[in-house]
Amino acid sequence: MTTTRTFSTTRTASKPGEPTKTKRKRKAFQVSYASWWWALPALALVIVTIYVTTVAGGFFAFTDWTGVGSFKLIGINNFTKIFKSKELLGSLVNTLFLAGGFLVATNVLGVLFALALNRTLKTRFLLRTLVFMPAVVSPVAVSYIWKFIFAYNGPLNQFLAAFGVPPQTWLGNPTFAIWCVLVVMVWQNIGFIMVTYLAGLATVPAEIEEAAALDGASTWRRFRSITLPLIQPSMAIAVTLTLLQGLRVFDQVMALTGGGPAGSTQTLASEVYQQTFTYQQFGFGAAMALLMSALILIMSIAQQWLTRDRSEEA
């Protein structure tokens, strides 16, 4: 009985039905084919919620749909209406101003904080945590905190009153309001950009900087010639993220000013929301959303080209 069982096991193992290489390919194909079945629900959800809705929005951008009932195609009338309206052009200017100011200020301050908290300070881990903390708070919550700070009887005016500065209506002044929105955006995102640059600075060899310092290179020269080229990948990521976030700013505007006063802080994103859900002009809102998407795409491609790695070309 024992001999028979051993022989049967040996025979089964020594008589493969097909070559080993073919069996491995078949097994890999079965695993790959099965993984697609597991991914189908998530893939279908992404297609429906992103691509189908995007195509539908692009279609309604050329209609006069009000959200209910029938509609008719009106060509590019919605787009011509956008460029003829001074209010909508003002929202485009505000969007570009906030995006440009946010990109420059956040990246400059993020680099400075990253350089300051990179290696030498003993308390750098605690300070990194404190700087990064605003990034994990909801933008709406941060905006309401700063709305209290900017209030007429708020902490900012009370602090300035100690130096003889009269109180200001920061969020009610068309000149100051957009700067207040920019301050809140920058303050909340410095920590995240700092962490991005810290990841890049971790790849810079300390020996190279020390050798350059021994050769008499100044701090600025070491940063410009050594540090900056080596952290270029981190810079590309940080610039891309800040550009995209600045072009689609919405939460801070709605929580701080609601687009006022007198439309001085209105952006494309807040204008899309207002035209679509307040005025029930879904076709016109879709046209503005399509224009904003095209603007983001064009500026993202331009930014990627400007911050590309030129080492291979050299």
Side-chain angles (χ1 to χ4, degrees):
M1 179 66 67
T2 305
T3 306
T4 305
R5 185 178 302 169
T6 306
F7 174 76
S8 177
T9 305
T10 306
R11 183 178 179 182
T12 305
S14 61
K15 186 180 179 182
E18 51 188 342
T20 305
K21 187 175 181 181
T22 306
K23 291 175 67 177
R24 289 178 180 175
K25 289 183 178 180
R26 184 176 180 181
K27 186 176 180 180
F29 172 77
Q30 291 175 347
V31 172
S32 177
Y33 186 70
S35 64
W36 271 103
W37 283 103
W38 287 105
L40 277 179
L43 184 62
L45 183 63
V46 169
I47 292 175
V48 171
T49 57
I50 296 179
Y51 296 103
V52 173
T53 54
T54 301
V55 172
F59 170 76
F60 285 115
F62 299 92
T63 68
D64 61 350
W65 191 43
T66 60
V68 292
S70 60
F71 58 86
K72 63 179 181 179
L73 294 173
I74 58 174
I76 62 172
N77 290 352
N78 286 329
F79 298 96
T80 56
K81 182 180 177 181
I82 293 174
F83 291 103
K84 288 181 179 180
S85 173
K86 293 183 179 180
E87 178 185 353
L88 300 180
L89 287 178
S91 66
L92 174 61
V93 173
N94 292 337
T95 300
L96 295 176
F97 171 79
L98 289 174
F102 178 67
L103 187 151
V104 174
T106 307
N107 280 277
V108 170
L109 293 175
V111 168
L112 293 178
F113 274 104
L115 292 172
L117 305 178
N118 185 26
R119 293 195 184 103
T120 56
L121 284 178
K122 294 182 179 180
T123 58
R124 62 185 181 276
F125 298 108
L126 175 62
L127 294 175
R128 288 177 186 177
T129 304
L130 294 176
V131 175
F132 184 76
M133 281 180 62
V136 301
V137 184
S138 168
V140 176
V142 170
S143 300
Y144 278 116
I145 293 172
W146 276 92
K147 191 172 184 178
F148 165 73
I149 295 174
F150 288 131
Y152 188 79
N153 296 322
L156 179 59
N157 278 332
Q158 293 179 8
F159 173 76
L160 294 176
F163 300 93
V165 179
Q168 302 287 335
T169 54
W170 299 102
L171 298 177
N173 190 315
T175 303
F176 296 147
I178 194 167
W179 288 97
C180 293
V181 174
L182 181 60
V183 166
V184 175
M185 293 171 59
V186 173
W187 181 82
Q188 184 175 14
N189 291 276
I190 286 176
F192 183 78
I193 300 303
M194 176 198 70
V195 171
T196 305
Y197 282 113
L198 281 173
L201 290 173
T203 63
V204 180
E207 296 80 6
I208 298 179
E209 293 184 347
E210 294 172 358
L214 291 175
D215 289 339
S218 63
T219 303
W220 167 249
R221 181 63 183 274
R222 295 199 303 271
F223 172 76
R224 183 172 61 87
S225 302
I226 299 175
T227 306
L228 194 59
L230 292 178
I231 65 172
Q232 187 174 351
S234 297
M235 181 180 295
I237 295 173
V239 170
T240 301
L241 293 176
T242 51
L243 178 63
L244 294 178
Q245 190 170 353
L247 288 173
R248 55 186 179 86
V249 55
F250 176 78
D251 297 339
Q252 293 86 350
V253 171
M254 298 304 294
L256 286 169
T257 64
S264 59
T265 59
Q266 196 78 276
T267 62
L268 286 177
S270 62
E271 196 72 58
V272 169
Y273 174 83
Q274 188 177 49
Q275 295 291 336
T276 304
F277 298 104
T278 303
Y279 301 139
Q280 299 297 311
Q281 297 182 3
F282 278 74
F284 187 56
M288 293 196 65
L290 185 61
L291 176 64
M292 185 175 68
S293 301
L295 178 64
I296 292 175
L297 178 63
I298 293 172
M299 297 195 70
S300 298
I301 293 175
Q303 176 271 324
Q304 289 288 335
W305 182 81
L306 291 173
T307 58
R308 71 189 187 280
D309 188 3
R310 295 178 173 82
S311 59
E312 296 182 359
E313 297 178 4

